[in-house]
Amino acid sequence: MTSASSSPSSRPPHWAATTLRRLAEAAMALSLLGMVLAVFFNVVLRYFFNTGLAISEELSRLLFVWLVCIGAVLAMAEGKHLGFDMVTSRLRGRAAAACRWLTRALIAVALYHLVTGSWQQVLAGMDSRSPVMNYPLALAAAGTLVMGACMAALLAVDCAQALRRGEAPEEQA
């Protein structure tokens, strides 16, 4: 199984891409650390002192949402999302190119729905607050909005690179 929309490049990544990847990995590490500490302290307080942190669950959930969203963007950037290529791996030439462009188009449609739906959730969550931490619920919905926008940008880069390689979508007609 491979990703249909990614193609490994033989040249090293641009310094900006490397910096963004490292920032994303650092954000994921900080999210995971925050989750672990919140849950650990909550467990210790409950076990030893028969009390707990009220914010532990909300903080962990918010950090988990962002961790998953950032991880999904990194997986797409590295071509590590699961893909079903039993049929497409056997195709060559125009048929293979047509399937790759069809895949890109379907991904674009899915990302359009993800981004528009996430935007609606952000707008709806602007006036709603979390019960314990009192943060706007739009902050959680913003994770999927950022994820969708970043994935759309990665898809656009993939399409541009495919066109530069000479994989024009109109050749398949």
Side-chain angles (χ1 to χ4, degrees):
M1 290 190 174
T2 62
S3 173
S5 65
S6 68
S7 60
S9 176
S10 59
R11 59 190 164 132
H14 191 269
W15 66 269
T18 303
T19 302
L20 285 173
R21 178 172 285 126
R22 287 186 181 154
L23 284 173
E25 289 171 349
M28 289 174 58
L30 288 174
S31 286
L32 188 59
L33 177 66
M35 288 169 47
V36 167
L37 289 176
V39 171
F40 175 75
F41 285 131
N42 199 37
V43 167
V44 168
L45 287 172
R46 285 180 191 265
Y47 187 75
F48 291 110
F49 302 105
N50 202 24
T51 185
L53 295 173
I55 67 168
S56 176
E57 185 179 334
E58 277 187 12
L59 179 62
S60 297
R61 182 177 29 237
L62 180 64
L63 291 174
F64 185 69
V65 165
W66 278 93
L67 175 76
V68 168
C69 291
I70 294 169
V73 172
L74 279 179
M76 183 172 182
E78 295 174 1
K80 297 196 175 172
H81 276 285
L82 291 177
F84 182 75
D85 66 350
M86 191 169 86
V87 174
T88 57
S89 65
R90 292 175 171 84
L91 297 175
R92 301 283 178 255
R94 290 182 177 201
C99 283
R100 283 192 297 274
W101 281 103
L102 176 63
T103 299
R104 290 180 186 114
L106 292 173
I107 291 170
V109 169
L111 288 174
Y112 168 78
H113 289 294
L114 176 70
V115 169
T116 56
S118 295
W119 178 246
Q120 291 170 356
Q121 289 298 310
V122 166
L123 293 177
M126 293 295 258
D127 296 326
S128 302
R129 312 292 270 177
S130 72
V132 177
M133 290 179 58
N134 201 32
Y135 66 84
L137 293 179
L139 188 58
T144 56
L145 179 64
V146 169
M147 177 184 71
C150 290
M151 286 181 165
L154 290 170
L155 181 63
V157 168
D158 180 55
C159 289
Q161 288 174 345
L163 290 173
R164 261 184 271 157
R165 288 190 306 266
E167 187 184 317
E170 62 271 359
E171 290 178 4
Q172 287 76 35

